[in-house]
Amino acid sequence: MIDLNEMAEQMYDVALKREEHSPYMNSLTSVELLKHLAGEVVEASMGYGLGAEPYRKELGDILCITMLLAYKEDFDIEAMLQETLDKNTNRANRTGDKL
């Protein structure tokens, strides 16, 4: 099984290299990553009607940036996802908040 936290660390290492060598990846601050994420969400919404492949690629970018943010903030990605699954399971069963 894939360790998402380990994968996020690998993504961060690649992002650091890109930051050194690319004018397109010039800041790994959390606020800049959030701005980049917002742009990718817009691109995904524009790619949605163009077929599965452009949309899939943009969703991959969104996942990658989200994992970079979690890694940078030292959040356990797998625990975050489990907490969200549990929260939504409770809501689906009408036992959580926001019924």
Side-chain angles (χ1 to χ4, degrees):
M1 182 166 254
I2 294 173
D3 182 323
L4 295 177
N5 294 302
E6 185 177 302
M7 183 177 277
E9 183 176 6
Q10 292 172 8
M11 289 177 179
Y12 191 77
D13 290 342
V14 169
L16 285 174
K17 288 179 185 173
R18 286 189 65 197
E19 185 179 40
E20 291 175 17
H21 305 294
S22 172
Y24 301 108
M25 187 73 164
N26 55 17
S27 179
L28 289 175
T29 65
S30 293
V31 71
E32 290 302 319
L33 286 170
L34 283 168
K35 289 177 186 178
H36 190 94
L37 179 61
E40 293 295 340
V41 170
V42 169
E43 288 180 20
S45 68
M46 292 173 14
Y48 180 75
L50 301 176
E53 189 62 17
Y55 183 57
R56 184 187 70 78
K57 287 181 178 181
E58 295 304 332
L59 287 178
D61 290 343
I62 290 167
L63 288 170
C64 180
I65 296 167
T66 302
M67 289 176 67
L68 285 173
L69 277 163
Y71 177 80
K72 188 160 178 26
E73 299 295 332
D74 199 29
F75 296 149
D76 183 325
I77 296 167
E78 292 178 0
M80 289 170 54
L81 289 172
Q82 187 63 56
E83 290 168 13
T84 301
L85 176 60
D86 293 345
K87 173 183 69 180
N88 286 312
T89 299
N90 287 336
R91 288 177 180 172
N93 295 327
R94 302 188 59 74
T95 57
D97 64 339
K98 296 185 183 179
L99 301 176

